């Protein structure tokens, strides 16, 4: 980002847990969105005929146990006051009703409101998968899809395919709230939204320089733009797009005006 003094981003949404009507804006100071990780697991057993399970080492049963065991990480090992998610979202194994396969593949995600918590979750997931597989006589491998190098604002280097948390810098957020209020009206700006467990690659920018991220609502029952982000029925009320463009342009102008007065860094 060179000598950029701030970053600004907007994401349309009908609401994440709570409805966000068309033209409403939501944000919050500090952590707004989760740090995230993903995993790919291969569970290997010994396949065979489903009529003779005793002659196999069933990776389907083992994988089922792994899914259940992973749920105990959040429910029994994470402080109940800390937000965390471990979700298995894909399971594939076998192709026939009467054949126990050799291998089952699982995929999922894990999330928390700090990178430290996500790093801890990663270790817990790995140990849970390996010990559960061993207990069922199977072997397992797990890939956390790491490999992209990143340097944060503290100069710390780490490799990750995943996202750090989206953290809004209070001064930059206050400017964004003022800008949004001038465009949509103060009554439509919600600066105290509850952080959500969604992840966002804007976090890499905000991890390097001060930044702010806004959610721009497009929940409109008349147009049917009510399905959540990533839902198969998701669609956008395009009437909000000019508002999003105006937010970007006005924020840049206000930031540069502050820079001209010497109140902030010059570049955006």
């Amino acid at each position: 980002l060179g000598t950029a003094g701030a970053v600004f981003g907007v994401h349309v949404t009908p609401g994440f847990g709570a409805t966000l009507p068309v033209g409403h804006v939501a944000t919050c100071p500090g952590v707004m969105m989760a740090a995230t990780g993903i995993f790919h697991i291969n569970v290997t057993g010994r396949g065979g005929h489903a009529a003779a399970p005793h002659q196999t080492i069933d990776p389907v049963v083992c994988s089922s146990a792994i899914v259940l065991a992973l749920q105990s990480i959040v429910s029994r090992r994470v402080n109940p006051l800390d937000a965390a998610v471990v979700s298995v979202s894909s399971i594939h194994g076998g192709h026939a009703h009467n054949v126990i396969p050799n291998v089952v593949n699982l995929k999922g995600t894990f999330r928390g409101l700090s990178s430290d918590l996500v790093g801890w979750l990663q270790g817990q997931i790995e140990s849970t998968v390996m010990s559960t597989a061993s207990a069922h006589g199977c072997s397992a491998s797990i890939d956390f899809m790491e490999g992209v190098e990143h340097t944060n604002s503290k100069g710390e280097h780490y490799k990750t395919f995943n996202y750090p948390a989206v953290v809004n810098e209070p001064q930059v957020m206050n400017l964004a709230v003022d800008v949004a209020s001038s465009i949509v009206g103060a009554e439509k700006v919600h600066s105290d939204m509850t952080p959500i467990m969604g992840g966002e690659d804007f976090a890499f920018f905000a991890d390097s320089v001060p930044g702010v991220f806004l959610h721009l609502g497009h929940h409109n029952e008349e147009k049917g733009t009510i399905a959540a982000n990533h839902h198969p029925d998701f669609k956008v009320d395009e009437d909000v797009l000019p508002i999003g463009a105006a937010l970007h342009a006005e924020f840049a102008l206000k930031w540069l005006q502050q820079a001209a007065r010497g109140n902030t860094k010059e570049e955006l």
Side-chain angles (χ1 to χ4, degrees):
L1 296 177
T3 58
V7 289
F8 174 81
V10 177
H11 199 304
V12 295
T13 178
F16 202 108
T19 298
L20 194 62
V22 172
H24 284 238
V25 172
T27 189
C28 66
V31 177
M32 176 179 169
M33 299 179 69
T36 71
I38 61 176
F39 55 81
H40 292 186
I41 301 168
N42 289 330
V43 179
T44 302
R46 185 175 66 237
H49 201 293
H54 60 291
Q55 296 176 354
T56 73
I57 300 175
D58 193 340
V60 175
V61 172
C62 178
S63 297
S64 301
I66 287 173
V67 173
L68 292 176
L70 289 175
Q71 304 315 302
S72 70
I73 295 174
V74 172
S75 67
R76 288 297 177 268
R77 295 181 231 171
V78 174
N79 186 326
L81 299 180
D82 293 333
V85 169
V86 176
S87 292
V88 178
S89 53
S90 173
I91 304 176
H92 291 276
H95 301 282
H97 67 275
N98 60 345
V99 178
I100 293 173
N102 285 318
V103 179
V104 174
N105 310 116
L106 304 92
K107 297 179 182 179
T109 183
F110 53 105
R111 296 156 186 253
L113 294 183
S114 74
S115 294
D116 287 344
L117 177 55
V118 169
W120 179 86
L121 287 172
Q122 178 170 318
Q124 294 296 305
I125 290 168
E126 183 168 16
S127 64
T128 298
V129 168
M130 296 306 180
S131 60
T132 305
S134 177
H136 285 76
C138 292
S139 62
S141 63
I142 183 165
D143 186 354
F144 291 103
M145 306 300 289
E146 298 168 301
V148 178
E149 184 149 331
H150 176 65
T151 304
N152 65 18
S153 57
K154 299 177 182 178
E156 298 168 336
H157 300 275
Y158 57 93
K159 288 186 176 182
T160 178
F161 180 81
N162 311 313
Y163 301 157
V166 174
V167 181
N168 291 330
E169 198 280 327
Q171 180 185 357
V172 181
M173 193 209 79
N174 288 338
L175 177 61
V177 167
D178 290 343
V179 166
S181 297
S182 70
I183 293 173
V184 302
E187 72 281 359
K188 294 183 179 179
V189 179
H190 313 279
S191 59
D192 59 350
M193 68 168 279
T194 301
I196 63 173
M197 301 306 287
E200 171 59 49
D201 55 7
F202 177 83
F204 286 109
F205 296 118
D207 196 38
S208 299
V209 297
V212 61
F213 199 61
L214 304 181
H215 283 175
L216 176 59
H218 68 92
H219 186 280
N220 187 330
E221 293 192 5
E222 290 184 2
K223 293 186 177 180
T225 57
I226 60 176
N229 297 55
H230 297 208
H231 189 281
D233 294 330
F234 175 82
K235 62 180 180 178
V236 177
D237 181 348
E238 296 189 359
D239 287 344
V240 304
L241 300 185
I243 298 174
L247 289 168
H248 277 91
E250 187 67 9
F251 180 86
L253 289 172
K254 293 297 185 184
W255 183 268
L256 293 173
Q257 288 171 2
Q258 285 192 7
R261 295 194 297 268
N263 293 338
T264 187
K265 296 180 181 180
E266 292 185 1
E267 295 191 33
L268 178 67

